[in-house]
C-alpha cells in the first residue's frame, strides 16, 4: 500500500505536462489528475513531499503545496497528518468508463437532393460580418443581459415591417414571438392548444411526430394540386389546422383562393386556430409570391416563418406572428424553456433586415434557385420526357412524378448510387385516404454549385435505371386517375 | 351592397401608400389589404375596373390587374364574370381582433441586485466582432447547413481543451453536447434519467420547476457552509443528484473534499448519476478555482456549464460533458428539439476560446467582480458591522446573513425602495428540513458600473431600515444556532 513516488513511473510525464500553457501550478495539477485518471498513480499511493517534488521539477515549493491543496479540495488526494499526501481511493477511473461513446453517423452521399435544405454556400458572410459590427456597436448594454423571451424589440420591429411588406402579414412587434424555428413554434402552440390538429395528408413527418409527442392527435386533410382541401374540416374534431398555404410541402401547390376563404370561415365559425407554416414563401419564381393567409384574419391565424431557408438552418432563428390573445399563453409556455434564440443573432438579423441586406440576400438566393430549377426541369425534360415535374413555381424542391409502382425501385437505385433522394410516400400521413402517388421530392437547394450539374445527371440516370426495372406487382398503373391529377397540378402551378 | 369605388374614401390613402419601397404592384396590394383590414373597403364593395384605377393612379393597367389577381388568389377579393372585382366577405377584421395583446411587464427597479446575472456591460463587443470575422471567413460552407445536434466540432474541440485546462474536466469532443444552457441540459437529462433527483435544499426554484414539469420528483439534501451533505443519499430513492460543487447556489460554499468523495462513492455503488452545475466556476477570487467534481469520475458525472455568466445569458450557449453511454441517449432526446444553439455563435465562441480571447474575458470579468465584491463587503462592514457576509470567495453574489425574523422586513423595505433583492427563503426546497435562515442574496454582477456605488449605498440603507422595524413574532432569535452556522460558513469561505 505504501508505495512511494519513486516506484511510480509518472515523473517523466508530469514533467512533460508542466510545459503547458496554463501556468506551472495548473500544469502540475493537470499532470497529476491525468496520471491518477489513467491509473499511473494508483489509489493509496503516497506522493513525494512538496519540498522533494519542487526540487525534482525545479519549481517553487509553494506551487507544489498549492497544487496538492487544490487537488485535496477536489477529492483527488487525501492529506492526513503523519501519513503525507496520498491518491484518494475513488479517484482512479476504469478504462471502459473513460472510453469514447459511439457517435451516430450520417450516410455518405455522392449527391444530396433531399428537400428542405438551402444552399449552404449562399450564406452572406460579408454582409453578416458587417451587420454584426454595426449591430454590436449600436446595441445598448442591456442587450447583453438576460433578454426578453418574446425576442429583442429591435428584431420584432424589423420583422413586423418586413413581413407586412414582403408577405402581406398583418403584424406589429407585440404579436411576434421569436423562436428557434417552426419545430419550436409547433411545440409551443401544441402546448397552448391541446387537442386535435388537422394536417396535410402529405407533410413533414418530423412535424407530425413533434405534435404526437406533445399529445396532439393529427387527422389528415386530402392534398391535391390546389393545396389541402378544407372541406372535411367542419365535420371533424379538429381544434386547429396546420397548413403550408404558399407552397404545399412537399407537393408544391398554392392553396386555392376559395380554400383560403373556407379555412378562415371554419376558424371563425368554431373558434379554430390556423397554423400557417410559411417555410419558403419568399421563393416564388414565375410571379410575385402569394401573400400570407394570415393577412385574411390575423385573429385566427398563427403565422410561422424562419431564416432557415433564406440564411441558414444553423441560425435556429424563427418567428411566430400570433393572434393577440395567444401571445401571453405562448410566452408562458415558452418561459420554462427560457429564451432560446441568441440575442446577438437577433440583433444582427434585425440590422440585416433594416439595412436592406436581407432583401438583397433573398433576391440573390431566388436568382440562384430559379437557375437551378430551370436547369433541373430542362435536364429532366430532355432525358425523361415522359415524366411530369410539378410544384416548380416556388420553393427549393420539385416533385418528379413517377409511374405507379416505381417509387421504391427508383429510391433503391438512388441508394445504390449514393444519391440522397426522398420518395413522396415518406411524407404521407399514416391515416391518409387520398390515393397513393409515386414520385420523388427533389431538393435542388442542397448540392453545392459545383456539384449541381453532376447531381442532376445522377438523378436522371438513377430514375431511368429505376424505371427500367420490374414494377411492383401490388401497385398497377392507374392511367385515368394519373392523368387527371397531372392536369390539375399543371393548372395551378402555371397560373 | 353594390357600392362603388367613388363612395369609399380610400383613394388618397392608396395613392400615398403607392410611394412605398416595394414596387408599384406591391404598394398597391399593401394599400388595398390595409384598406380592407381596417374596414375602409368594406366586404362586398366593388372595386373600380383595372383600367379605371390604373388611369386614376397613373400606373400601367397590367400592374392593377396583377394586383387584383394576386389579392383574389390570397382570398381578399373575389372576381366573378359580370360582377367585377369585389372585397371578399371574410376579409375584414374587427378592431378588437386586430388590437394589441397585453405584454407582461417587469417591475422598474432603481437598483437591481438580484443574483444570477452578469454585468451586461462586460460583454467583449470588439473581441466578438473580430472573432466573428475570423470564424465566418474560415468556416467551411457546410457550417451554414443543418448542423450537428451535438454542436459544431470546432466548438466541442475548443471546449474540451478549455474545460480540461481551466476546470479540470476530463473531456473530449465526443462527450460534449452543446445546448442552450443549464435549463435545457436539465430537461434533457431528466428525459433520459426519469425518476427521483436529490437536489440541494437551497437552490434555483426554476431548476426544480423544470424537473417537476419533466416528471422528476426532487428530494432535498441539507446544505451548509461545506455545500450539500450527501449523507442521506444512500438511504434515499434518488436516481441522480444535482449539485453546485464549486460554489453552492446560493449559499456560496465549496463542496468539501470528503463530500465530493462520498458523492462519487454513492454514484459508483448504485449506478446513480451526478449532475454538476458549474454555473460560475471560473469566478473565484481568493485562490485558484476549485476544479470540477466531474474530473473525479467522468463516467458518473454529467458536467453542465455555460457562457451565461462569462459572456452573456442572451447567447443561450451552454454545454454538457457526459458519461459516454449518455451521449447517444441525450442526442436522441435532443433530436426532437433540433439543434437549439446558433451554429454561428458556436463558431465565433470556438474562435474566442482558441484565440485566448475568452481567457482574457474571464480575467477581465474576474478583476471587475472582485473589485465589486470588495467594495460591497467593505461598505457592509462599515455600515452594518453586526451582519456577516458569506459565500464571498467566488461567484457573482454574496449572502448577507440577517437576524432571524428580519428577512421579510428587509425585503419589504427593498420593495418600497425599488431595490431588486432576493431573500434566502426564495431558494428553499419546500420539503427542506434544514433550519430556516434569514438573509438576502446580493447579486453584485447585475448593476452597471456607474450605478454600483449607489446600489451598495441603497442596500445598506434598506437593510438598516428593515432591521430597525418590528421583528416577526413567529420567528424568534436563535442565537446559539446562528453562531454555529456563521462560524462554519467562515471556516469554509476563508480556506
Amino acid at each position: 500500500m505504501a508505495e512511494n513516488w519513486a516506484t511510480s513511473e509518472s515523473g517523466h510525464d508530469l514533467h512533460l505536462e508542466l510545459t503547458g500553457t496554463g501556468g506551472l501550478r495548473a500544469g502540475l495539477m493537470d499532470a497529476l489528475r491525468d496520471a491518477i485518471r489513467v491509473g499511473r498513480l494508483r489509489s493509496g499511493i503516497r506522493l513525494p513531499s512538496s519540498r522533494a517534488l519542487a526540487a525534482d521539477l525545479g519549481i517553487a515549493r509553494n506551487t507544489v503545496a498549492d497544487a496538492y491543496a487544490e487537488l485535496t479540495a477536489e477529492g483527488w488526494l487525501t492529506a492526513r497528518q503523519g501519513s503525507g499526501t496520498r491518491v484518494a481511493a475513488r479517484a482512479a477511473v476504469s478504462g471502459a468508463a473513460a472510453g469514447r461513446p459511439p457517435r451516430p453517423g450520417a450516410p455518405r452521399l455522392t449527391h444530396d437532393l433531399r428537400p428542405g435544405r438551402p444552399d449552404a454556400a449562399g450564406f452572406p458572410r460579408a454582409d453578416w460580418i458587417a451587420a454584426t459590427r454595426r449591430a454590436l456597436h449600436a446595441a445598448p448594454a442591456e442587450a447583453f443581459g438576460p433578454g426578453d423571451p418574446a425576442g429583442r424589440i429591435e428584431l420584432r420591429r424589423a420583422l413586423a415591417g418586413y413581413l407586412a411588406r414582403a408577405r402581406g402579414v398583418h403584424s406589429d412587434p407585440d404579436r411576434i414571438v421569436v423562436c428557434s424555428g417552426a419545430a419550436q413554434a409547433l411545440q409551443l402552440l401544441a402546448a397552448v392548444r391541446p387537442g386535435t390538429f388537422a394536417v396535410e395528408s402529405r407533410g413533414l413527418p418530423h412535424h407530425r411526430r413533434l405534435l404526437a409527442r406533445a399529445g396532439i392527435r393529427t387527422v389528415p386533410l386530402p392534398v391535391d394540386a390546389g393545396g389541402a382541401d378544407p372541406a372535411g374540416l367542419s365535420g371533424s374534431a379538429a381544434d386547429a389546422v396546420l397548413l403550408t398555404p404558399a407552397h404545399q410541402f412537399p407537393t408544391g401547390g398554392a392553396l386555392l383562393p376559395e380554400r383560403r376563404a373556407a379555412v378562415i370561415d371554419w376558424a371563425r365559425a368554431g373558434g379554430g386556430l390556423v397554423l400557417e407554416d410559411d417555410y419558403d414563401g419568399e421563393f416564388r419564381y414565375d410571379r410575385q409570391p402569394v401573400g400570407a393567409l394570415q393577412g385574411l384574419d390575423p385573429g385566427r391565424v398563427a403565422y410561422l416563418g424562419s431564416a432557415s431557408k433564406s440564411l441558414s438552418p444553423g441560425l435556429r432563428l424563427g418567428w411566430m406572428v400570433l393572434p393577440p390573445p395567444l401571445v401571453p399563453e405562448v410566452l408562458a409556455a415558452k418561459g420554462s424553456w427560457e429564451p432560446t434564440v441568441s440575442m446577438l443573432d437577433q440583433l444582427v438579423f434585425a440590422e440585416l433586415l433594416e439595412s436592406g441586406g436581407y432583401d438583397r440576400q433573398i433576391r440573390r438566393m431566388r436568382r440562384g434557385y430559379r437557375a437551378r430549377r430551370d436547369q433541373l426541369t430542362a435536364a429532366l425534360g430532355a432525358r425523361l420526357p415522359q415524366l411530369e415535374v410539378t410544384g416548380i413555381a416556388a420553393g427549393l424542391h420539385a416533385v418528379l412524378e413517377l409511374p405507379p409502382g416505381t417509387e421504391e425501385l427508383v429510391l433503391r437505385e438512388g441508394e445504390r448510387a449514393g444519391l440522397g433522394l426522398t420518395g413522396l410516400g415518406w411524407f404521407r400521413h399514416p391515416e391518409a385516404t387520398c390515393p397513393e402517388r409515386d414520385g420523388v421530392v427533389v431538393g435542388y437547394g442542397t448540392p453545392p454549385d459545383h456539384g449541381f450539374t453532376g447531381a442532376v445527371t445522377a438523378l436522371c440516370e438513377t430514375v431511368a435505371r429505376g424505371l427500367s426495372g420490374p414494377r411492383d406487382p401490388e401497385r398497377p398503373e392507374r392511367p385515368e386517375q394519373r392523368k387527371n391529377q397531372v392536369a390539375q397540378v399543371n393548372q395551378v402551378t402555371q397560373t
Side-chain angles (χ1 to χ4, degrees), chain A residues 25 28-29 32 47 50 61-79 85:
Chain A
R25 186 191 20 201
L28 177 58
M29 288 176 64
L32 286 167
L47 298 188
S50 55
R61 183 184 167 187
N62 271 354
T63 306
V64 178
D66 286 356
Y68 280 11
E70 289 294 323
L71 291 172
T72 303
E74 292 176 13
W76 292 93
L77 306 178
T78 58
T85 302

Side-chain angles (χ1 to χ4, degrees), chain A residues 108-112 412-421 462:
Chain A
R108 286 295 295 180
L109 298 173
T110 50
H111 297 288
D112 191 351
R412 236 175 284 153
E413 281 301 325
E415 210 169 298
R416 217 168 284 159
L419 191 64
L421 274 186
T462 297

Side-chain angles (χ1 to χ4, degrees), chain A residues 271-282:
Chain A
L273 179 67
V274 182
L275 280 63
E276 176 174 27
D277 181 7
D278 196 33
Y279 65 101
D280 68 359
E282 286 104 340

Side-chain angles (χ1 to χ4, degrees), chain A residues 402-407 437-438 471-472 475-479 482:
Chain A
L402 295 174
T406 62
E407 181 176 311
R437 178 173 155 195
D438 286 73
R471 299 289 163 91
D472 185 342
R475 313 244 326 257
E477 286 261 10
R478 292 180 303 263
R482 177 133 215 93

Side-chain angles (χ1 to χ4, degrees), chain A residues 304-327:
Chain A
L304 319 181
S306 84
S308 293
K309 303 291 182 291
S310 51
L311 287 171
S312 164
L315 263 179
R316 312 311 310 138
L317 183 49
W319 45 86
M320 291 175 261
V321 185
L322 296 171
L326 275 186
V327 173

Side-chain angles (χ1 to χ4, degrees), chain A residues 183-447:
Chain A
Q184 195 195 14
L186 286 182
Q187 289 175 312
L188 290 168
L189 290 166
V192 302
R193 281 287 175 277
T196 300
F197 281 25
V199 298
E200 294 162 329
S201 60
R202 291 190 172 86
L204 210 53
H206 178 51
H207 286 175
R208 292 197 298 262
R209 273 197 302 270
L210 283 180
L211 293 174
R213 230 174 263 140
I216 300 286
R217 182 172 129 73
T218 61
V219 294
L221 293 180
V223 166
D224 58 30
D229 183 352
L233 270 179
S234 303
S236 78
D239 303 289
V241 58
L242 169 61
L243 298 171
T244 49
H247 186 227
Q248 203 279 325
F249 190 85
T251 60
L255 191 62
L256 293 169
E258 60 270 23
R259 292 183 176 179
R260 291 177 163 242
V263 168
I264 297 295
D265 282 347
W266 166 81
R268 287 186 182 168
L273 179 67
V274 182
L275 280 63
E276 176 174 27
D277 181 7
D278 196 33
Y279 65 101
D280 68 359
E282 286 104 340
F283 296 112
R284 193 161 186 94
Y285 306 121
D286 302 321
R287 56 174 207 177
Q288 286 293 306
V290 180
L293 178 63
Q294 187 264 8
L296 281 185
D297 194 339
R300 305 288 174 189
V301 181
Y303 172 91
L304 319 181
S306 84
S308 293
K309 303 291 182 291
S310 51
L311 287 171
S312 164
L315 263 179
R316 312 311 310 138
L317 183 49
W319 45 86
M320 291 175 261
V321 185
L322 296 171
L326 275 186
V327 173
E329 292 181 55
V330 165
L331 287 178
K334 189 167 190 266
S336 71
W337 302 350
E338 301 186 319
T340 37
V341 182
S342 161
M343 296 293 155
L344 269 58
D345 289 348
Q346 292 188 44
L347 290 172
V348 177
F349 184 47
E351 169 64 31
L352 212 58
L353 281 165
E354 296 285 11
S355 66
Y358 189 67
D359 289 82
R360 274 199 307 279
Q361 166 72 0
I362 296 282
R363 284 197 297 272
R364 197 159 42 212
M365 299 296 276
R366 190 155 44 203
R367 269 198 305 275
Y369 290 138
R370 180 165 41 203
R372 286 181 174 216
R373 181 201 64 164
D374 293 347
Q375 184 182 344
L376 172 71
T377 51
L380 288 170
R383 303 280 300 267
L384 299 159
Q386 74 277 28
L387 302 181
E388 295 281 342
V389 185
T390 60
I392 57 175
L396 282 64
H397 66 270
V399 178
L400 179 63
E401 308 279 343
L402 295 174
T406 62
E407 181 176 311
E408 271 305 306
L409 300 173
V410 168
L411 292 179
R412 236 175 284 153
E413 281 301 325
E415 210 169 298
R416 217 168 284 159
L419 191 64
L421 274 186
T422 314
L424 258 184
W426 191 69
F427 299 95
R428 190 180 159 90
H429 192 288
E431 297 165 35
T433 54
C434 53
E436 299 268 358
R437 178 173 155 195
D438 286 73
V440 288
V441 181
V442 181
Y444 50 83
T446 318

